[in-house]
């Protein structure tokens, strides 16, 4: 009998190596074996459903999608939404203005926006700056999935500006992202957004040295996992979750078994229940082969 009823897994840095568009064969075989043994599987990603990747489109072993950092939980079978926790446009505007109030270059570009009818980023984002990270210095892992989606020609919209995109929205927002210029600027934004009453309650995930992902207060992968378990009648203690970076930290607040990747950040490794080999060594598959049954 399997030790777990549900497996939740992050994508980039966990089952996608260097933001690849597919899951490596050994990991897929481990997922297939788990599913055949009666275990359900769920993505747990910062990506929206439309950017999950070819390996997950109609994958027969995938049951659920926890997407946009937990703002949406949906069925991988029929798209039925179990939970949608969103920010009103007015709150997103307040976030944008707060970051801009830091002065200098803060908040001038590098915004991404995810809502039911749009997955896009600000065209003011300096592509050359990000492209240079991936040439010759081995630093491609600092890319966000948004920038990589653009570079890879995926179906992601380029919005004229965050302000114009918000003007045109007729729905609330799942998640907004901001790429800042320096670590110091990023920390200043975190401090301001955490303390400001004007922006309302927020959940902040630092997914790179200068990249923030922002959702409504309490909206995270960990809380979405709790919602999914409640809806399915699953004990969180019989869930294993895999992750590697800042938006996975809330798995450590869950009763699940949280497994950090060997390539995870020190913060994630420090709170994990276990550590598996890195993504480049099919760490998720290695751990499941040793611990599922």
């Amino acid at each position: 009998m399997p030790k777990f009823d549900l497996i939740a897994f992050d994508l980039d840095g966990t089952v996608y190596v260097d933001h690849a568009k597919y899951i490596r064969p050994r990991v897929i075989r481990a997922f297939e074996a788990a599913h055949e043994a009666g275990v359900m599987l769920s993505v747990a990603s910062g990506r929206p459903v439309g950017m999950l990747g070819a390996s997950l489109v109609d994958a027969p072993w995938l049951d659920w999608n926890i997407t946009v950092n937990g703002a949406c939980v949906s069925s991988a079978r029929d798209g039925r939404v179990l939970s949608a926790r969103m920010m009103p446009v007015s709150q997103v505007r307040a976030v944008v203005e707060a970051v801009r109030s830091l002065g200098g270059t803060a908040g001038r570009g590098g915004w991404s926006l995810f809502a039911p009818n749009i997955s896009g980023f600000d065209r003011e984002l300096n592509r050359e700056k990000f492209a240079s990270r991936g040439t010759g210095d081995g630093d491609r892992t600092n890319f966000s999935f948004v920038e990589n989606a653009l570079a890879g020609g995926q179906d992601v919209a380029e919005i004229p500006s965050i302000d114009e995109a918000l003007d045109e929205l007729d729905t609330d927002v799942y998640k907004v992202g901001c790429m800042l210029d320096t670590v110091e600027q990023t920390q200043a934004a975190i401090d301001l957004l955490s303390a400001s009453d004007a922006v309302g309650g927020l959940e902040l995930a630092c997914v790179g040295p200068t990249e923030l992902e922002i959702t409504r207060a309490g909206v995270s992968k960990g809380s979405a996992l709790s919602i999914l378990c409640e809806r399915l009648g699953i004990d969180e203690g019989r869930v294993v979750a895999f992750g590697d970076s800042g938006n996975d930290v809330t798995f450590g607040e869950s009763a699940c078994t949280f497994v950090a990747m060997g390539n995870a950040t020190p913060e994630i490794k420090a709170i994990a229940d276990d550590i598996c080999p890195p993504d480049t060594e099919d760490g998720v598959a290695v751990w499941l082969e040793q611990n599922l049954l």
Side-chain angles (χ1 to χ4, degrees), residues 273-292:
D273 299 299
D274 201 358
I275 299 173
C276 68
D279 57 349
T280 54
E281 298 175 18
D282 298 332
V284 170
V286 172
W287 196 92
L288 289 175
E289 289 164 2
Q290 297 173 353
N291 296 280
L292 182 63

Side-chain angles (χ1 to χ4, degrees), residues 9-12 43-48 52 66-70 145 175 221 247-248:
F9 58 94
D10 174 52
L11 295 181
D12 298 300
V43 167
S45 176
R47 301 184 185 214
L52 292 182
I66 293 172
T67 51
V68 279
N69 283 2
F145 71 80
K175 183 182 78 168
K221 292 185 183 182
N247 60 8
D248 300 311

